[in-house]
Amino acid sequence: MVAPATEYRLEEVAKHNCDGDLWVVIDGKVYDLSKFGALHPGGLPPLLDPAVAGKDATDLFFGLHRASVLHEKRYARLQVGILAKED
């Protein structure tokens, strides 16, 4: 049986918005990119952009990447939870 995913509110994700503590939301899933900057082809600066760090970066992500990227094992492991539904 698969354990239920941890849910995070956008307010919680927003607290993780700097180098060493960096989360983003993509397509309703929360990703911890804190250690990913060195592996990102564009480097750390695009990830620290105020429109990305601690935000829902879905539109920006899909403007630059294919959806299949998120299904690759090396990237899927960065998922730490899902975005909680707003009341």
Side-chain angles (χ1 to χ4, degrees):
M1 178 179 271
V2 176
T6 302
E7 291 188 0
Y8 295 99
R9 297 182 58 83
L10 199 51
E11 293 83 7
E12 175 63 27
V13 174
K15 296 175 186 177
H16 304 273
N17 63 3
C18 61
D19 187 6
D21 185 17
L22 179 61
W23 289 12
V24 298
V25 176
I26 303 170
D27 204 23
K29 297 177 182 175
V30 180
Y31 293 89
D32 182 349
L33 305 183
S34 300
K35 298 178 181 176
F36 179 67
L39 302 173
H40 185 253
L44 187 58
L47 302 176
L48 293 175
D49 185 292
V52 175
K55 303 275 176 51
D56 186 332
T58 301
D59 291 340
L60 288 169
F61 180 85
F62 287 126
L64 298 168
H65 305 86
R66 298 179 318 278
S68 62
V69 168
L70 296 176
H71 301 292
E72 294 178 29
K73 188 174 185 174
R74 60 185 170 167
Y75 300 125
R77 66 181 175 80
L78 299 173
Q79 184 183 345
V80 294
I82 60 173
L83 191 62
K85 298 205 185 308
E86 295 292 324
D87 295 329

